[in-house]
Amino acid sequence: MSIASAPSHTATATPGAAYRPVWQRSQEDPEGFWLDVATQVQWKTEPTRALDERGEYEWRWFPGGELNVSENALDRHVDAGRGDNAALIYDSAMTGTKLTFTYRELRDAVALFAGVLRDQGVSKGDRVLIYLPMVPQAVIAMLACARIGAIHSVVFGGFAANELAVRIADAKPKVIVTTAGGLEPGRVVEYLPLVSRAIELVGDDCSVESVIVRQRDAVPGTAAEYNEGSSASWHDWEELEAKSSPAAPVSMRAEDPLYILYTSGTTGSPKGVVRDSGGYTVGLQWAMQNIYNFGPGDTMFTASDVGWVVGHSFIVYGPLIAGGTTILYEGKPVGTPDPGAFWRVLSEHGAKLLSTAPTALRAIRREDPELEYLKRYDMSKLEAIYLAGERMDPETWHWVNDGLRVPVVDHWWQTETGWMICANPLGIEELPAKAGSTTVPMPGFDVHILDSNGKRITEPNVEGNIGIRLPLAPGALLEIWGSRQRFIDSYLSAFKGYYSTGDAGYYDEDGYLFVMGRTDDVINVAGHRLSTGSLEEVLTQHSAVAECAVIGVSDELKGQRAAGFVTVKHGVSIDDQQLATELIALVREHIGPVASFRDVTVVERLPKTRSGKILRKTIRQIVDGEPYTVPATIEDPTVIDELITSLKHTVSAPPTRVVTLP
Ligand code: COA
Ligand code: AMP
C-alpha cells in the first residue's frame, strides 16, 4: 500500500493532493510521464520511447536516445548563458582553500582533462578508476570520463590497498586517476603507496596502463617516484595537461554505462552497480526539481564524499545537471575546527539546502547540544535539510527540526537506486513530516511490503521486506558489472516481479514508509555501508582464529558499529588482548580505516543452532542490552551464559599498528 494508490487516511484531505496524481501518472503512464521529463534534458538524438522491457529481468530506459551527460552538466548551461554562474565551490576546512569554478571554467577544465585521458588511449567504454579525496579534480575527472564515454569507477579514500585491488581486478580500468593523498584530521593519508600496492596485488594481468597523479602541496609523493618497477606508467596530471588539447563530448546511447560504483554485498566481493547515462540524467533532473526544488541560481551543500552514491548524484551530477551551484567540502562536521563547520559553509556560500547523513548531525549534537555555534552564522538562506544513508533516529530528527526550524526531510535510497526511493517532495508539496519515516515513494518506484513468500502485506504497521515492483525508475541500476546472473541472484530472484531492497520496514495508516533496518548482513557504520561477511573473511585469515561472527551493534554516534566474536583454534595459545589487537589491525590493513573496527570478544564457543547456524540475532540483542530470544533449536543453552561472561572482556582498542598476515 502507498499513499499514492491507497485511500488517504490523513486527517485532512489536502496532504498529497499535488503529489499523489504525479506519482499515480508515473505508474499508469510511465511512457508519457518519463518522456515529458526527458524533454528537460539535452539529447543528441531524442528518444521516442521511454521504456523498453526486454524480458523478466531486463529493461532499458529511453531506447534510441543519445546524449552526453557531461554536456548536460556543463556545456548546456554555458550555451544557455549561465557560463559565468558558479558551478562548483571547493571549500577545504583542511587547508583553508576556497575556490570557485564558473560553469565556463569547469567545462574548460573538464574538456582539457578529457583530452588528457584521450591521449592516454582512453575511449568509449574503457574504464577509468578514480581514487581521489574531496578535491575539485575528483569532479573534473568524473565529468571528463563522461565527456569521452569512458566509464568511471570512483573508490572511496578510506579503503585499503586490498579493496582497491579487488575493484581494479573487477572493473579492469585502463587508467587510474589519483593524487598524492587525502587529509584526515591529524594525519595525511598517502594514496600513492596504496595505488602502487594495489597494482602489485592484482598481479601480472593487471589492466592498468597508466596512473595519472595530481600533486598536492600538503602531501608528499609524485608520479616519478613510483614509475620505476611498476607495470603501469605513472604521469603527472599537470605535465600531461600542458601537452594536451580539449576533447569534445561524444554521443552516448541512453543505455550506455556512465559509471560503476562498488558497494558492499553479502560476501567479501563488492558489487559493481552499473548506472546508465540517459535514465540517470532524467531521474536526477526530476529529483533535483521536484524533491530538492533546486535549479539555476540555487546552491546546495551535500556533505558526503564523491566515493559514495550521495556524492555521485548530489555533489556532482544532480546539482550540475540542474544548473545550480554545488559545494565540495573537504572536512568533517566536527573538529575542523568546531561543530559550527557545516553552518559556516552553508552561510558563507548562501546554500539553500544541506544534505547529509544523520551520523554527522549526531556528531554535531554531541559537541554542541544547544546549537551555540549556529548562532554565529546567518542561516536565512537555508530552506531545508535532507538526510540519508542510515535510519534517522527520531530524537536527532526532533533536535535538528526544533533547532533549525526548516523542513527536515529523511529520504531513503541506495547505491543501487541512484536517487530517492522515498522522500518528501518539497518541489511539489511539503507533506506533513513524521519523525522516523522517509515519507512516500517517488515516481517510478512502486514500493510494497512483502512477507517471506513474496506476498504483499497490505495491513498498515506490519513490518516486512521492502520490495519495489519491476521495472525500477530511470537511473536505478541495470545490472552488476560483469555478471548478469549476480544481478538476478542478488536482487530479483527472492521475490518474483520485485527488486528486493534488503531493507525491512512498514507503511503506517497514512501510507508513510518507515525503513527500519537491513534484512541481510549489511551494516551501516557512520553512513558507510559495510558487509559483515567481508569482515568475517578477514578475521578468519588470522592463523589463530577457528570461527568468527561479526555483527552490527548499536552505536550512539555512528548508528551501528561492527563487533567481532572469535574462537581460537585448539592447541593455539595466544593472549586475548594480543589477538584482538592483531585482528583490529588486520581489518584496517585489509579493508581500511573506514570499517572502524574496534571491538573484539574472544569466546570459548559461539552460540549456534543444532544445524550449525550462528545465532547472530541473539548475540546482537545481548550486546545491545535488549530482551533476547534463544531459539529452541540452540545446540547448547549454556553457551549464552559463557557469552555474557566473555563480554566483560571485550577488547575495544584503537588501531595502533598494522600487522602483516601471520
Ligand atoms: N580517507 C581516508 N580515511 C578516511 C576517510 C577518507 N576519505 N574517511 C574516513 N577515514 C578514516 C577516518 O580518518 C577514521 O580513521 P581513524 O580510525 O584513524 O580515526 C576512520 O576512517 C573512521 O572514520 P569515520 O567512521 O568517518 O569516523 P570519524 O570518527 O573519523 O568521524 C563522523 C565520525 C561522524 C564525524 C564522520 O563519520 C562523518 O562525518 N560522517 C558523515 C557520514 C557521511 O558522510 N556518510 C556518507 C554516506 S551518506
Ligand atoms: P548506500 O547504498 O550506501 O547508500 O546504503 C543504502 C542503505 O542505507 C539502505 O539500503 C538502507 O539500509 C540505508 N538507508 C539509506 N537511507 C536511509 C534512510 N533514510 N532511512 C533508513 N535507512 C536508510
Side-chain angles (χ1 to χ4, degrees):
M1 181 178 72
S2 80
I3 200 173
S5 54
S8 171
H9 299 276
T10 39
T12 66
T14 328
Y19 145 79
R20 197 178 293 119
V22 173
W23 185 89
Q24 198 71 39
R25 183 174 172 231
S26 81
Q27 296 303 310
E28 287 165 3
D29 175 24
E31 281 291 312
F33 184 93
W34 291 113
L35 279 177
D36 278 356
V37 183
T39 59
Q40 297 167 44
V41 161
Q42 182 173 308
W43 297 90
K44 288 179 184 290
T45 306
E46 298 261 344
T48 52
R49 285 164 62 204
L51 182 60
D52 181 10
E53 291 198 79
R54 296 179 182 170
E56 192 181 1
Y57 299 129
E58 195 177 354
W59 64 92
R60 293 292 180 267
W61 287 98
F62 309 109
E66 298 211 356
L67 81 173
N68 182 283
V69 184
S70 184
E71 188 174 44
N72 269 280
L74 299 169
D75 308 56
R76 176 165 62 127
H77 305 303
V78 179
D79 298 344
R82 293 194 285 275
D84 296 327
N85 288 15
L88 175 72
I89 296 173
Y90 168 55
D91 185 314
S92 173
M94 308 306 293
T95 62
T97 313
K98 286 171 204 169
L99 277 177
T100 299
F101 293 74
T102 64
Y103 268 97
R104 186 173 293 102
E105 287 164 344
L106 191 59
R107 180 204 55 187
D108 292 347
V110 166
L112 184 56
F113 192 67
V116 167
L117 291 173
R118 177 203 56 207
D119 299 347
Q120 292 302 306
V122 176
S123 59
K124 221 184 209 182
D126 286 338
R127 273 81 60 211
V128 172
L129 188 139
I130 298 174
Y131 189 51
L132 284 165
M134 291 289 282
V135 291
Q137 286 72 32
V139 181
I140 292 169
M142 289 164 79
L143 292 166
C145 289
R147 198 167 185 86
I148 57 170
I151 303 167
H152 62 69
S153 187
V154 184
V155 178
F156 178 64
F159 284 120
N162 201 58
E163 289 290 309
L164 195 53
V166 168
R167 287 155 175 78
I168 294 172
D170 193 68
K172 299 193 173 37
K174 202 176 222 178
V175 170
I176 295 181
V177 183
T178 188
T179 179
L183 304 171
E184 284 294 296
R187 74 187 169 103
V188 165
V189 183
E190 288 190 48
Y191 280 21
L192 302 190
L194 297 174
V195 173
S196 170
R197 174 81 185 122
I199 291 174
E200 257 173 51
L201 284 170
V202 178
D204 288 345
D205 57 353
C206 182
S207 59
V208 180
E209 292 172 13
S210 43
V211 181
I212 302 175
V213 180
R214 177 76 184 200
Q215 285 195 43
R216 282 199 90 175
D217 288 344
V219 189
T222 62
E225 290 165 38
Y226 289 84
N227 211 9
E228 210 172 308
S230 174
S231 59
S233 60
W234 293 59
H235 304 275
D236 179 77
W237 172 306
E238 282 158 300
E239 280 175 21
L240 291 181
E241 262 189 1
K243 291 185 278 190
S244 193
S245 58
V250 301
S251 190
M252 302 294 291
R253 291 181 313 162
E255 67 184 72
D256 283 337
L258 174 67
Y259 64 76
I260 306 168
L261 182 55
Y262 286 89
T263 190
S264 300
T266 48
T267 66
S269 105
K271 293 184 279 203
V273 165
V274 178
R275 189 84 64 219
D276 68 351
S277 300
Y280 188 51
T281 307
V282 172
L284 289 183
Q285 172 72 38
W286 192 90
M288 292 308 300
Q289 203 176 333
N290 296 284
I291 299 175
Y292 287 144
N293 193 20
F294 181 95
D298 292 334
T299 300
M300 168 160 193
F301 174 25
T302 301
S304 178
D305 190 285
V306 287
W308 307 121
V309 65
V310 188
H312 281 63
S313 295
F314 298 114
I315 295 175
V316 184
Y317 288 107
L320 296 177
I321 286 169
T325 306
T326 185
I327 298 173
L328 184 78
Y329 170 69
E330 187 181 28
K332 302 276 172 183
V334 294
T336 57
D338 55 45
F342 279 11
W343 321 134
R344 173 190 68 76
V345 172
L346 287 165
S347 85
E348 220 170 273
H349 305 300
K352 80 174 216 180
L353 303 178
L354 167 67
S355 179
T356 190
T359 188
L361 295 180
R362 288 196 296 269
I364 296 172
R365 184 179 177 208
R366 195 167 68 167
E367 294 201 8
D368 183 20
E370 302 304 323
L371 283 166
E372 292 299 333
Y373 282 86
L374 184 67
K375 296 177 191 146
R376 301 182 186 178
Y377 301 100
D378 172 11
M379 302 300 292
S380 55
K381 291 245 173 71
L382 184 69
E383 289 181 12
I385 296 184
Y386 292 83
L387 299 161
E390 56 176 317
R391 180 169 158 72
M392 175 65 176
D393 58 290
E395 207 184 318
T396 311
W397 187 89
H398 283 297
W399 173 78
V400 67
N401 198 45
D402 297 348
L404 278 116
R405 306 205 167 278
V406 292
V408 179
V409 177
D410 179 5
H411 53 348
W412 167 57
W413 46 313
Q414 311 179 311
T415 306
E416 289 85 346
T417 63
W419 60 285
M420 306 73 166
I421 311 165
C422 279
N424 195 338
L426 299 195
I428 301 177
E429 69 170 304
E430 185 185 340
L431 296 167
K434 293 192 188 192
S437 170
T438 61
T439 323
V440 291
M442 292 295 97
F445 291 111
D446 188 11
V447 182
H448 295 274
I449 309 299
L450 307 172
D451 69 15
S452 52
N453 299 314
K455 204 168 154 289
R456 279 188 202 173
I457 299 173
T458 49
E459 306 91 287
N461 303 311
V462 178
E463 196 171 315
N465 303 287
I466 311 180
I468 307 174
R469 207 163 55 84
L470 298 177
L472 298 175
L477 87 169
L478 296 178
E479 55 191 290
I480 295 293
W481 181 254
S483 175
R484 200 152 177 79
Q485 196 54 44
R486 195 168 174 210
F487 170 56
I488 296 168
D489 294 345
S490 304
Y491 303 108
L492 310 183
S493 54
F495 305 116
K496 195 171 167 48
Y498 289 90
Y499 163 86
S500 166
T501 62
D503 282 314
Y506 62 89
Y507 277 114
D508 75 0
E509 54 286 348
D510 295 325
Y512 276 56
L513 190 81
F514 290 72
V515 181
M516 302 307 289
R518 298 285 306 189
T519 56
D520 52 17
D521 65 358
V522 165
I523 59 169
N524 233 297
V525 181
H528 308 314
R529 179 167 156 182
L530 298 168
S531 145
T532 54
S534 69
L535 292 162
E536 288 174 4
E537 279 180 30
V538 175
L539 299 188
T540 48
Q541 286 177 40
H542 193 290
S543 60
V545 171
E547 276 188 304
C548 70
V550 174
I551 53 165
V553 299
S554 298
D555 186 276
E556 226 175 73
L557 174 67
K558 298 189 178 187
Q560 280 184 304
R561 67 176 193 281
F565 294 82
V566 297
T567 62
V568 176
K569 283 182 184 157
H570 285 301
V572 174
S573 161
I574 184 165
D575 172 64
D576 288 0
Q577 172 82 36
Q578 187 192 337
L579 176 60
T581 309
E582 288 184 9
L583 291 174
I584 288 166
L586 207 56
V587 170
R588 192 174 173 93
E589 186 189 315
H590 279 255
I591 295 189
V594 66
S596 240
F597 183 69
R598 306 268 194 273
D599 297 5
V600 175
T601 310
V602 181
V603 292
E604 281 295 316
R605 293 177 295 169
L606 286 165
K608 287 184 190 171
T609 61
R610 281 191 286 276
S611 59
K613 201 167 159 269
I614 297 172
L615 295 169
R616 291 159 204 280
K617 189 174 169 197
T618 310
I619 304 178
R620 187 195 59 72
Q621 287 171 326
I622 292 171
V623 178
D624 283 346
E626 289 175 12
Y628 57 90
T629 41
V630 181
T633 52
I634 191 165
E635 192 182 28
D636 178 357
T638 62
V639 183
I640 296 293
D641 295 328
E642 280 175 29
L643 175 79
I644 292 169
T645 309
S646 304
L647 282 174
K648 295 190 191 115
H649 309 291
T650 298
V651 177
S652 250
T656 45
R657 68 192 175 96
V658 171
V659 287
T660 41
L661 267 179

